[in-house]
Amino acid sequence: MLSGAAPRGDGLGHGGALFGSWSYSYGARDGEQMVTANVNGDWCDGGRDDPIGIFTDLLQAKFCRRSGT
């Protein structure tokens, strides 16, 4: 289990990879928000388009947006 801090509160999650398939699931500690995603790492071309970069962008979009948006 992984823990991280975001402007809207702490979150918990877990992830892993198997044969090029990367899956992550994270949620707010209060249970109000949750996001689960799978990325086919074989289609990524490196740089920001790697699975970790994609999940980082997804988590920021989901959990770091301003309140009320």
Side-chain angles (χ1 to χ4, degrees):
M1 192 62 101
L2 302 171
S3 178
R8 297 182 68 195
D10 293 341
L12 295 172
H14 188 65
L18 180 65
F19 302 116
S21 180
W22 294 66
S23 298
Y24 282 83
S25 187
Y26 282 86
R29 285 188 186 264
D30 61 10
E32 288 190 23
Q33 295 188 68
M34 179 104 184
V35 63
T36 299
N38 180 275
V39 173
N40 183 339
D42 293 337
W43 292 356
C44 298
D45 62 8
R48 191 66 184 161
D49 185 31
D50 68 357
I52 300 299
I54 292 170
F55 287 121
T56 299
D57 292 346
L58 176 65
L59 291 173
Q60 288 177 346
K62 178 66 175 169
F63 295 108
C64 296
R65 61 185 181 191
R66 294 182 306 209
S67 296
T69 60

